[in-house]
Amino acid sequence: MAAQIFSAILVILIGVGGCVAYFWGANKFVDLIFPSRGVSGQAAIDNLRRQGLIRPWLFIGPALILLVVYLIYPVVSTIITSFQDKSGHGFVGLANYQWALGDGQFRNSIFNNLLWLLVVPAACTFLGLVIAVLTDKIWWGTIAKSLIFLPLAISFVGASVIWKFIYEYRGEGQVQIGVLNAIVRWFGGDPQVWISMPFWNNFFLMIILIWIQTGFAMVILSSALRGIPEETIEAAVIDGANPFQIFWKIMIPQIWGTIIVVWTTITILVLKVFDIVLTMTNGQWNSQVLANLMFDWMFRGGGDFGKGATIAVIIMIAVLPIMIWNIRQANREGL
């Protein structure tokens, strides 16, 4: 334990110290090559101009290199691999994409992803908006927001472990330690293995992501609500509008752009959902999603790099338009 703590501290010191040393050294290097002090006239002006041209590239250079190495290269490599065989070497053309269109498990994953897309972004955005509005009206709203935001700090795997105890099932004659089954038993019902119920288990898994992401939606939408001019609300009240009318006809139209940004951000997350399914069901009982299916084909059962890369490309194609639109909308809204 002590060794791990020491290693973590050492990595932080080296990482942060290395960044500070690089930026300080790069800055000094530019000043040394093109000095603006000790020279006068046109030479100083020219050196300052050269510093202004070179310094930004020195500062963003490492980020650009990492972007190429860890993002652009893997994307290009994955696209190429999607046209190759199981080993990732022999060219097979569009065979992997033809397999995807005809594979039952792939179609089931598409169906499940569509279910997640229909339910999770809508539920998170709606709950986040309602909570943001309600907590602004009570004195302990800040405490409530903090508690609702807390799940966002938990990893998806950690959240899944927590909810596994809620959905836990014990056999006949045993005490039901799962919260949900204990409640069902208390009302006289029969305990169920909730996460192994085909179709319905998707919704039980969605609840975990909704629990995590509602806090994110609440914080963003609460900030947007605070940006609504008080004069608009006061004018509506004077005109006789009730709280329901103020909410739907005054608040919603003014923060509609932010609502869409939140919705699409969670949509992108849903398209990439993996950890929850892997931890809870591992894709069993018809709960498979695209990201988990990609993991299965890429790393399990001997591995099929071609099919795994094909699924990755399909996920990327699905995410890319939403992400581009989301960035543009966020820039327009100034978020």
Side-chain angles (χ1 to χ4, degrees):
M1 185 66 178
Q4 293 175 336
I5 294 174
F6 175 77
S7 298
I9 294 173
L10 186 63
V11 168
I12 293 172
L13 291 176
I14 292 175
V16 175
C19 291
V20 171
Y22 170 79
F23 289 118
W24 180 84
N27 198 50
K28 288 295 183 182
F29 176 76
V30 173
D31 290 338
L32 182 65
I33 300 299
F34 302 108
S36 58
R37 296 179 181 178
V39 293
S40 59
Q42 189 61 39
I45 295 174
D46 291 341
N47 284 347
L48 283 172
R49 188 182 70 254
R50 294 188 185 101
Q51 288 180 13
L53 291 172
I54 296 173
R55 186 172 281 116
W57 289 104
L58 285 174
F59 287 170
I60 68 172
L64 290 176
I65 293 171
L66 291 175
L67 186 67
V68 171
V69 173
Y70 290 105
L71 183 62
I72 297 177
Y73 170 74
V75 167
V76 174
S77 178
T78 300
I79 293 173
I80 294 172
T81 305
S82 69
F83 296 103
Q84 296 175 337
D85 60 10
K86 179 177 181 178
S87 65
H89 295 98
F91 181 75
V92 294
L94 296 173
N96 290 323
Y97 292 92
Q98 292 173 348
W99 158 82
L101 294 175
D103 184 70
Q105 195 175 31
F106 180 84
R107 291 198 298 268
N108 178 251
S109 300
I110 291 286
F111 174 76
N112 289 338
N113 267 103
L114 288 175
L115 275 181
W116 282 72
L117 288 172
L118 288 173
V119 175
V120 175
C124 289
T125 306
F126 175 76
L127 291 174
L129 181 58
V130 170
I131 293 168
V133 173
L134 294 178
T135 51
D136 277 342
K137 307 298 181 182
I138 53 179
W139 65 268
W140 48 275
T142 304
I143 299 173
K145 286 181 180 178
S146 300
L147 294 174
I148 294 168
F149 186 76
L150 273 177
L152 195 63
I154 305 174
S155 69
F156 284 6
V157 173
S160 300
V161 171
I162 292 171
W163 280 84
K164 253 192 172 178
F165 286 106
I166 295 176
Y167 297 142
E168 180 69 18
Y169 168 81
R170 294 294 175 90
E172 289 290 333
Q174 298 186 45
V175 177
Q176 296 298 328
I177 66 169
V179 176
L180 187 54
N181 275 323
I183 294 173
V184 170
R185 197 72 174 269
W186 190 77
F187 280 102
D190 296 324
Q192 303 289 330
V193 188
W194 303 103
I195 61 174
S196 68
M197 299 169 62
F199 181 72
W200 298 108
N201 53 7
N202 287 289
F203 295 97
F204 292 123
L205 301 186
M206 291 177 203
I207 289 172
I208 302 172
L209 189 55
I210 293 169
W211 179 66
I212 296 171
Q213 289 298 311
T214 295
F216 162 77
M218 175 198 67
V219 169
I220 302 299
L221 294 172
S222 179
S223 176
L225 287 170
R226 290 180 183 276
I228 298 176
E230 286 292 335
E231 294 81 5
T232 308
I233 307 296
E234 291 172 0
V237 173
I238 293 172
D239 289 340
N242 58 47
F244 185 80
Q245 291 173 324
I246 291 173
F247 178 74
W248 285 107
K249 296 183 178 181
I250 303 297
M251 293 181 174
I252 296 297
Q254 294 198 55
I255 64 168
W256 183 249
T258 306
I259 292 173
I260 297 299
V261 169
V262 171
W263 187 301
T264 53
T265 300
I266 298 174
T267 296
I268 293 171
L269 179 66
V270 168
L271 284 169
K272 301 182 293 181
V273 69
F274 164 73
D275 316 59
I276 294 173
V277 175
L278 179 69
T279 305
M280 296 294 288
T281 65
N282 195 24
Q284 300 179 83
W285 308 297
N286 293 333
S287 64
Q288 188 69 282
V289 291
L290 286 174
N292 197 63
L293 182 65
M294 175 193 70
F295 180 81
D296 284 347
W297 278 108
M298 188 71 77
F299 300 109
R300 292 175 174 172
D304 190 317
F305 292 101
K307 291 178 179 177
T310 300
I311 299 172
V313 170
I314 291 171
I315 295 173
M316 182 182 69
I317 292 172
V319 168
L320 201 57
I322 303 173
M323 185 174 64
I324 293 172
W325 186 90
N326 196 28
I327 292 171
R328 289 180 176 177
Q329 187 69 21
N331 289 336
R332 191 178 298 119
E333 293 294 322
L335 296 178

